[in-house]
Amino acid sequence: MEKQATINLEQQFQDRVDQDIRIEPKDWMPEKYRQTLIRQISQHAHSEIVGMLPEGNWITRAPSLRRKATLIAKVQDEAGHGLYLYSAAETLGISRAEMIDQLHTGKAKYSSIFNYPTLTWADIGAIGWLVDGAAIMNQVPLCRTSYGPYARAMVRICKEESFHQRQGFEILLTLSRGTEAQKAMCQDAINRWWWPSIMMFGPADDASPHTAQSMKWKIKRFTNDELRQKFVDICAEQVKILGMQLPDSELKWNPETGHHDFGKINWEEFWQVISGNGPCNKERIAARVKAHEEGAWVREAATAFASKQAQKQSAAVA
Amino acid sequence: MFLLSLHLADDALILGHRNSEWTGHGPNLEQDIAISNIALDQIGQARNFYQYAAELYNANKDAYTKTFSSPAFHQVIGPIDEDDLAYLRDAKEFRNHLMVELKKGDWAVTITRQFFMSLYQQLLYSDLQYSADKRLAAISEKSLKEVHYHVRWSGEWVIRLGDGTEESHRRMETAIDQLWPYVGELFIPADFQLEAAASGQLKNPEYYREPWLEKTAAAFDQAGLAMPALNWYQKGGKLGIHTEHLGYLLAEMQYLQRSHPGAQW
Amino acid sequence: MKTFIQIQRYGDYGDREPVKAEGATQNQADWPLWEVFIRSKMGLDHKHVGSLHAADAQMAIENARDVYTRRQEGISIWVVESKYIHASNPDEAASFYDPANDKVYRHPTFYDLPDELKAM
């Protein structure tokens, strides 16, 4: 009897999803759906937060006041995006503190791209163009994801994200029209960020464990490979405006498929970086843990002050 | 007016730079965003003051060119801009108050310094917005709106930390102890301030001492923090004699501009 | 027996996923959650935009300003601690909202009035 009831609920749930009716926090949902969402949203949030670090690196070294202000605003936006996403995940019954704890203890993953170092100023441009470009490609379909709070957070994020990619491309464009040293800096950054960027779409469809179910639930709306191909096609054109090369000798237009063919991705590297062996995994987490721990006394003080005030107020009323 | 504008820009830039060191490292996400906002406001103010200073410089190059001896600065061909002023001057040519260049310290130091400086800027801009110099007046008026919020935000944090936990109270005492020797300099006029005061553009900064102390005392009183006496203090920032910290700050901030002379970014 | 309106935290799962008692996991360093409502321009209602963590109401308003109005999205902010949000239960949606389905007289187009009648 009870089992039958669950089946009905699941059927109703799937019907709603199929009709593109958003699922809201208090609606019934399969436990697995909830878990999948918590995992995906919190990883997305963690990626925004950890992503602040490689770019934040260059705030104090940005080469002009305009670039400095733009970069602060951009990194600050990422904090905002992390906050929107943590909020969305919190509607699923997990607290931000728990999620942050999962990040700090290594239980939760985040986008592997942020474990690569930012070595020159051109890296800030390359991150904007390629990393944010890949992120946008992933995020735009998520504005229609089945879970309401997640979809709404993504709408807000996508609106703000468009300036990020533009500022990145502008940095590269300026470098590509600059001195020989600047041009070399530009090409070098593209060389280092290209492959990690196309890895950002995740494992190939035949090796991606969560994709099928996520597609059915409309958490994800396109497969990893579909999005990756779209991204390659766009970048292959955009790089010409920079007068630079993408570091892939097999990259070429294929008139039969109407897409660009591209070289083989080094998945070994991807899995290594994901599992903690990237160039900066340890520094990134250490930096987050340090900020959190050094902030503890601040957060405690504010809590203590707030409860003192509340007591004073209730004493005054009584 | 040139040096005054430069001085105001330097204060805003260096303080904004210090605050931006928190971006990505704040005590939690919400406060990370808040301090970054303040950094952005300050860098925006700095740009406005630098742009004005650059215009004044370009209009009267002969009079001002000897102000700076940095070789990198003198390599600039044609008119200078905001970035030449920010990135190509040496430490001894910066005219900010010493307080803003001190390391960011912990959240208590950052908050206390922000409160001290914002209070000062609030008093200053409130007058400067009526200056006969229309540009300075306009920049001050715009900046003042932001500064009102900085005073409110940092003032609330001063009270919260002062009256929070034992640890936060202790850290506030340490922060005040560290920053207090740099307060006096805010109210000692440099030559360029006296000149501006003589021409009626600006009040002598001594004038701000009493209201500043009064407002600080009021906040400290609410926070349960003791108000130190204003005795001996460090000075020299406005004359270009700085602490050791500024050199490191500039070395980091300016290195790209310096190592690629003449490049556009 | 189910109560008609349950007092639940925003996004709480009720009895499906037992929520830990208030304060049980709440560390001193974790600030409570607040819901943020913003009026984007004069004449419009405040609209729910999201949530954030803050130690007190004052801080919540300032955080909301910093977080949710970075691009001049608002002119007025409301905040309320999430635990004070009372929400209807979606399982009861049928009995809660459906009765209004046949109350067409609540809708202005129900009334057949002459076209000459203007400004009503």
Side-chain angles (χ1 to χ4, degrees), chain A residues 47-103:
Chain A
S47 302
E48 296 280 355
I49 301 311
V50 177
M52 296 170 75
L53 298 170
E55 289 178 277
N57 258 339
W58 282 87
I59 288 175
T60 54
R61 293 179 288 172
S64 75
L65 294 177
R66 175 170 169 259
R67 294 286 183 216
K68 193 184 193 70
T70 318
L71 186 57
I72 295 172
K74 188 190 171 218
V75 177
Q76 189 205 30
D77 269 353
E78 280 153 15
H81 297 173
L83 190 146
Y84 304 156
L85 289 163
Y86 282 130
S87 297
E90 280 179 285
T91 65
L92 292 158
I94 184 169
S95 72
R96 191 197 293 178
E98 282 173 77
M99 290 184 272
I100 288 179
D101 189 59
Q102 290 173 353
L103 173 69

Coordinates of all heavy atoms in Angstrom, one line a residue, chain A residues 47-103:
Chain A
S47 N 32.4 25.9 -6.4 CA 33.2 26.3 -7.5 C 33.3 27.8 -7.6 O 34.3 28.4 -7.9 CB 32.6 25.8 -8.8 OG 32.5 24.4 -8.7
E48 N 32.1 28.5 -7.3 CA 32.2 30.0 -7.3 C 33.1 30.5 -6.3 O 33.9 31.4 -6.5 CB 30.8 30.5 -7.1 CG 29.7 30.2 -8.2 CD 29.8 31.1 -9.4 OE1 30.6 32.0 -9.4 OE2 29.1 30.8 -10.4
I49 N 33.0 29.9 -5.1 CA 33.8 30.4 -3.9 C 35.3 30.1 -4.1 O 36.2 31.0 -3.9 CB 33.3 29.8 -2.6 CG1 31.8 30.1 -2.4 CG2 34.2 30.2 -1.4 CD1 31.5 31.6 -2.6
V50 N 35.6 28.9 -4.5 CA 37.0 28.6 -4.8 C 37.5 29.4 -6.0 O 38.7 29.8 -6.0 CB 37.2 27.1 -5.0 CG1 38.7 26.7 -5.3 CG2 36.8 26.3 -3.7
G51 N 36.6 29.6 -6.9 CA 37.0 30.3 -8.1 C 37.4 31.8 -7.8 O 38.0 32.4 -8.7
M52 N 37.0 32.3 -6.7 CA 37.4 33.6 -6.3 C 39.0 33.7 -6.1 O 39.6 34.8 -6.3 CB 36.8 34.1 -5.0 CG 35.3 34.2 -5.1 SD 34.5 34.5 -3.5 CE 34.9 36.2 -3.2
L53 N 39.6 32.6 -5.8 CA 41.0 32.6 -5.4 C 42.0 32.9 -6.5 O 42.8 33.8 -6.4 CB 41.3 31.4 -4.6 CG 40.5 31.2 -3.3 CD1 40.7 29.8 -2.7 CD2 40.9 32.3 -2.3
P54 N 41.9 32.1 -7.6 CA 42.9 32.3 -8.7 C 42.8 33.7 -9.2 O 43.8 34.3 -9.6 CB 42.5 31.2 -9.7 CG 41.2 30.6 -9.3 CD 41.1 30.9 -7.8
E55 N 41.6 34.2 -9.4 CA 41.5 35.6 -9.9 C 41.8 36.6 -8.8 O 42.4 37.7 -9.1 CB 40.1 35.8 -10.4 CG 39.8 35.0 -11.7 CD 38.4 35.2 -12.2 OE1 37.5 34.5 -11.6 OE2 38.2 36.1 -13.0
G56 N 41.4 36.4 -7.6 CA 41.7 37.3 -6.5 C 43.2 37.5 -6.4 O 43.6 38.6 -6.0
N57 N 44.0 36.5 -6.7 CA 45.4 36.6 -6.8 C 45.9 37.9 -7.5 O 47.0 38.4 -7.1 CB 45.9 35.5 -7.7 CG 46.5 34.4 -7.0 OD1 46.9 34.5 -5.8 ND2 46.6 33.2 -7.6
W58 N 45.2 38.3 -8.5 CA 45.7 39.4 -9.3 C 45.1 40.8 -9.0 O 45.4 41.8 -9.6 CB 45.5 39.1 -10.8 CG 46.6 38.1 -11.2 CD1 46.6 36.8 -11.1 CD2 47.9 38.5 -11.7 NE1 47.8 36.3 -11.5 CE2 48.6 37.3 -11.9 CE3 48.5 39.7 -12.0 CZ2 49.9 37.3 -12.4 CZ3 49.8 39.7 -12.5 CH2 50.5 38.5 -12.6
I59 N 44.2 40.8 -8.0 CA 43.6 42.1 -7.6 C 44.6 43.1 -7.2 O 44.6 44.3 -7.7 CB 42.5 41.9 -6.5 CG1 41.3 41.2 -7.0 CG2 42.1 43.3 -5.9 CD1 40.3 40.9 -5.9
T60 N 45.6 42.7 -6.4 CA 46.6 43.6 -5.9 C 47.6 44.0 -7.0 O 48.5 44.8 -6.8 CB 47.3 43.1 -4.6 OG1 47.8 41.8 -4.9 CG2 46.3 43.1 -3.5
R61 N 47.6 43.2 -8.1 CA 48.6 43.4 -9.1 C 48.0 43.9 -10.4 O 48.7 43.9 -11.5 CB 49.4 42.1 -9.3 CG 50.3 41.8 -8.1 CD 51.0 40.5 -8.4 NE 50.1 39.3 -8.3 CZ 50.5 38.1 -8.7 NH1 51.7 37.8 -9.1 NH2 49.7 37.1 -8.6
A62 N 46.7 44.1 -10.5 CA 46.1 44.5 -11.7 C 46.8 45.7 -12.3 O 47.1 46.7 -11.5 CB 44.6 44.8 -11.5
P63 N 47.0 45.8 -13.6 CA 47.9 46.8 -14.2 C 47.3 48.2 -14.4 O 48.0 49.0 -14.9 CB 48.3 46.2 -15.5 CG 47.2 45.3 -15.9 CD 46.6 44.7 -14.6
S64 N 46.0 48.4 -14.1 CA 45.4 49.7 -14.2 C 44.3 49.8 -13.2 O 43.8 48.8 -12.8 CB 44.9 50.0 -15.6 OG 43.7 49.4 -15.9
L65 N 43.9 51.1 -12.9 CA 42.9 51.2 -11.9 C 41.6 50.7 -12.4 O 40.8 50.1 -11.7 CB 42.8 52.7 -11.5 CG 44.0 53.3 -10.8 CD1 43.8 54.8 -10.6 CD2 44.3 52.6 -9.5
R66 N 41.3 50.9 -13.7 CA 40.1 50.4 -14.3 C 40.0 48.8 -14.2 O 39.0 48.2 -13.8 CB 40.0 50.8 -15.7 CG 38.8 50.2 -16.4 CD 38.5 50.9 -17.8 NE 37.5 50.1 -18.6 CZ 37.9 49.2 -19.5 NH1 39.1 49.0 -19.9 NH2 36.9 48.6 -20.1
R67 N 41.1 48.2 -14.5 CA 41.2 46.7 -14.5 C 41.1 46.3 -13.0 O 40.5 45.2 -12.7 CB 42.5 46.2 -15.0 CG 42.7 46.5 -16.5 CD 41.8 45.5 -17.3 NE 42.1 45.7 -18.8 CZ 41.1 45.6 -19.7 NH1 39.9 45.3 -19.3 NH2 41.4 45.8 -20.9
K68 N 41.6 47.0 -12.1 CA 41.6 46.6 -10.7 C 40.2 46.7 -10.2 O 39.7 45.7 -9.6 CB 42.5 47.6 -9.9 CG 42.8 47.3 -8.5 CD 43.6 48.5 -7.9 CE 44.2 48.1 -6.6 NZ 45.3 47.2 -6.7
A69 N 39.5 47.8 -10.5 CA 38.1 47.9 -10.1 C 37.2 46.8 -10.7 O 36.4 46.2 -10.0 CB 37.5 49.3 -10.4
T70 N 37.4 46.6 -12.0 CA 36.6 45.5 -12.7 C 36.8 44.2 -12.1 O 35.9 43.4 -11.9 CB 36.9 45.5 -14.2 OG1 37.1 46.8 -14.7 CG2 35.9 44.8 -15.0
L71 N 38.1 43.9 -11.8 CA 38.4 42.6 -11.2 C 37.8 42.4 -9.8 O 37.3 41.3 -9.5 CB 39.9 42.4 -11.2 CG 40.4 41.0 -10.8 CD1 39.8 39.9 -11.7 CD2 41.9 40.9 -10.8
I72 N 37.9 43.4 -9.0 CA 37.3 43.3 -7.7 C 35.8 43.1 -7.9 O 35.2 42.2 -7.2 CB 37.5 44.6 -6.9 CG1 38.9 44.8 -6.5 CG2 36.7 44.6 -5.5 CD1 39.2 46.2 -5.9
A73 N 35.1 43.8 -8.8 CA 33.7 43.7 -9.0 C 33.4 42.2 -9.4 O 32.4 41.6 -9.0 CB 33.2 44.7 -10.0
K74 N 34.2 41.7 -10.3 CA 34.0 40.4 -10.8 C 34.1 39.3 -9.7 O 33.3 38.4 -9.6 CB 35.0 40.1 -11.9 CG 34.6 38.8 -12.6 CD 35.7 38.3 -13.6 CE 35.2 37.0 -14.0 NZ 36.3 36.0 -14.2
V75 N 35.2 39.4 -9.0 CA 35.4 38.4 -7.9 C 34.3 38.5 -6.9 O 33.8 37.5 -6.3 CB 36.8 38.6 -7.3 CG1 37.0 37.6 -6.1 CG2 37.9 38.3 -8.3
Q76 N 33.9 39.8 -6.6 CA 32.8 40.0 -5.7 C 31.5 39.4 -6.2 O 30.7 38.8 -5.4 CB 32.6 41.5 -5.5 CG 31.7 41.8 -4.4 CD 31.1 43.2 -4.5 OE1 30.9 43.7 -5.7 NE2 30.8 43.9 -3.4
D77 N 31.3 39.5 -7.5 CA 30.1 38.8 -8.1 C 30.1 37.3 -7.8 O 29.1 36.7 -7.6 CB 30.1 39.0 -9.6 CG 29.3 40.3 -10.0 OD1 28.7 40.9 -9.2 OD2 29.4 40.6 -11.2
E78 N 31.3 36.8 -7.9 CA 31.4 35.3 -7.7 C 31.0 35.0 -6.3 O 30.4 34.0 -6.0 CB 32.8 34.8 -8.0 CG 33.0 34.7 -9.5 CD 34.4 34.8 -10.0 OE1 35.3 34.7 -9.2 OE2 34.6 35.0 -11.2
A79 N 31.4 35.8 -5.3 CA 30.9 35.6 -3.9 C 29.4 35.7 -3.9 O 28.8 34.8 -3.3 CB 31.5 36.7 -3.0
G80 N 28.8 36.6 -4.6 CA 27.4 36.7 -4.7 C 26.8 35.5 -5.3 O 25.8 35.0 -4.8
H81 N 27.4 35.0 -6.3 CA 26.8 33.8 -7.0 C 26.9 32.6 -6.0 O 26.0 31.8 -6.0 CB 27.6 33.5 -8.3 CG 27.5 34.6 -9.3 ND1 28.1 34.6 -10.5 CD2 26.7 35.7 -9.3 CE1 27.8 35.7 -11.1 NE2 26.9 36.4 -10.4
G82 N 28.0 32.5 -5.3 CA 28.1 31.4 -4.4 C 27.0 31.5 -3.3 O 26.4 30.5 -3.0
L83 N 26.8 32.7 -2.9 CA 25.8 33.0 -1.9 C 24.4 32.6 -2.4 O 23.6 31.9 -1.7 CB 25.8 34.4 -1.5 CG 25.0 34.8 -0.3 CD1 25.7 35.9 0.5 CD2 23.6 35.3 -0.7
Y84 N 24.0 33.0 -3.7 CA 22.7 32.6 -4.2 C 22.6 31.1 -4.2 O 21.5 30.6 -4.0 CB 22.5 33.1 -5.7 CG 22.7 34.6 -5.9 CD1 23.1 35.0 -7.2 CD2 22.6 35.5 -4.9 CE1 23.3 36.4 -7.5 CE2 22.8 36.9 -5.2 CZ 23.1 37.3 -6.5 OH 23.3 38.6 -6.8
L85 N 23.7 30.4 -4.6 CA 23.6 29.0 -4.8 C 23.5 28.3 -3.5 O 22.7 27.3 -3.3 CB 24.8 28.5 -5.6 CG 24.7 28.9 -7.1 CD1 26.1 28.8 -7.7 CD2 23.7 28.1 -7.8
Y86 N 24.3 28.7 -2.5 CA 24.2 28.1 -1.2 C 22.7 28.3 -0.6 O 22.2 27.4 0.0 CB 25.1 28.8 -0.2 CG 26.6 28.3 -0.3 CD1 27.6 29.2 -0.4 CD2 26.9 26.9 -0.3 CE1 29.0 28.7 -0.5 CE2 28.2 26.5 -0.4 CZ 29.2 27.4 -0.5 OH 30.5 27.0 -0.6
S87 N 22.2 29.5 -0.9 CA 20.8 29.7 -0.5 C 19.8 28.8 -1.1 O 18.9 28.2 -0.5 CB 20.4 31.2 -0.8 OG 21.1 32.1 -0.2
A88 N 20.0 28.5 -2.4 CA 19.1 27.6 -3.1 C 19.3 26.2 -2.5 O 18.3 25.5 -2.3 CB 19.5 27.6 -4.6
A89 N 20.5 25.8 -2.2 CA 20.7 24.5 -1.7 C 20.1 24.4 -0.3 O 19.6 23.3 0.1 CB 22.2 24.1 -1.6
E90 N 20.1 25.5 0.5 CA 19.6 25.5 1.8 C 18.1 25.2 1.8 O 17.6 24.7 2.8 CB 19.9 26.8 2.5 CG 21.3 26.8 3.1 CD 21.7 28.1 3.8 OE1 21.9 29.2 3.1 OE2 21.7 28.2 5.0
T91 N 17.4 25.5 0.7 CA 16.0 25.2 0.7 C 15.7 23.7 0.6 O 14.6 23.2 0.8 CB 15.3 25.8 -0.5 OG1 15.8 25.2 -1.7 CG2 15.5 27.3 -0.6
L92 N 16.8 22.9 0.4 CA 16.7 21.5 0.3 C 17.0 20.8 1.7 O 17.1 19.6 1.8 CB 17.6 20.9 -0.7 CG 17.2 21.3 -2.2 CD1 18.3 21.2 -3.1 CD2 16.0 20.4 -2.6
G93 N 17.2 21.6 2.7 CA 17.3 21.1 4.0 C 18.8 20.8 4.5 O 19.0 20.0 5.4
I94 N 19.7 21.5 3.8 CA 21.1 21.4 4.3 C 21.5 22.8 4.6 O 21.1 23.7 4.0 CB 22.0 20.7 3.2 CG1 23.4 20.5 3.7 CG2 22.0 21.6 1.9 CD1 24.3 19.7 2.8
S95 N 22.4 22.9 5.6 CA 22.8 24.3 6.0 C 24.1 24.7 5.3 O 24.8 23.8 4.9 CB 23.0 24.4 7.5 OG 24.2 23.7 7.9
R96 N 24.3 26.0 5.2 CA 25.5 26.4 4.5 C 26.7 25.9 5.3 O 27.7 25.5 4.7 CB 25.6 27.9 4.4 CG 26.7 28.4 3.5 CD 27.1 29.8 3.7 NE 26.0 30.7 3.3 CZ 26.1 32.1 3.4 NH1 27.2 32.6 3.9 NH2 25.1 32.8 3.0
A97 N 26.6 25.9 6.7 CA 27.7 25.4 7.5 C 28.1 24.0 7.1 O 29.3 23.7 7.0 CB 27.4 25.6 9.0
E98 N 27.1 23.2 6.9 CA 27.4 21.8 6.6 C 28.1 21.7 5.2 O 29.0 20.9 5.0 CB 26.1 21.0 6.5 CG 25.5 20.5 7.8 CD 24.1 19.9 7.5 OE1 24.1 18.7 7.1 OE2 23.1 20.6 7.7
M99 N 27.6 22.5 4.3 CA 28.2 22.4 2.9 C 29.6 22.9 3.0 O 30.5 22.3 2.3 CB 27.4 23.3 2.0 CG 26.0 22.7 1.6 SD 25.1 23.6 0.4 CE 24.2 24.8 1.4
I100 N 29.9 24.0 3.7 CA 31.2 24.5 3.8 C 32.1 23.5 4.5 O 33.3 23.3 4.1 CB 31.2 25.9 4.5 CG1 30.6 26.9 3.6 CG2 32.6 26.3 5.0 CD1 30.5 28.3 4.2
D101 N 31.6 22.8 5.4 CA 32.4 21.8 6.1 C 32.7 20.7 5.1 O 33.9 20.2 5.1 CB 31.5 21.2 7.3 CG 32.4 20.3 8.1 OD1 33.4 20.8 8.7 OD2 32.0 19.1 8.3
Q102 N 31.8 20.3 4.3 CA 32.1 19.3 3.3 C 33.2 19.7 2.3 O 34.0 19.0 1.9 CB 30.8 19.0 2.4 CG 29.8 18.2 3.3 CD 28.4 18.1 2.5 OE1 28.3 18.6 1.4 NE2 27.5 17.3 3.1
L103 N 33.2 21.0 2.0 CA 34.2 21.5 1.1 C 35.6 21.5 1.8 O 36.6 21.0 1.2 CB 33.9 23.0 0.7 CG 35.0 23.7 -0.1 CD1 35.2 23.1 -1.5 CD2 34.7 25.2 -0.2

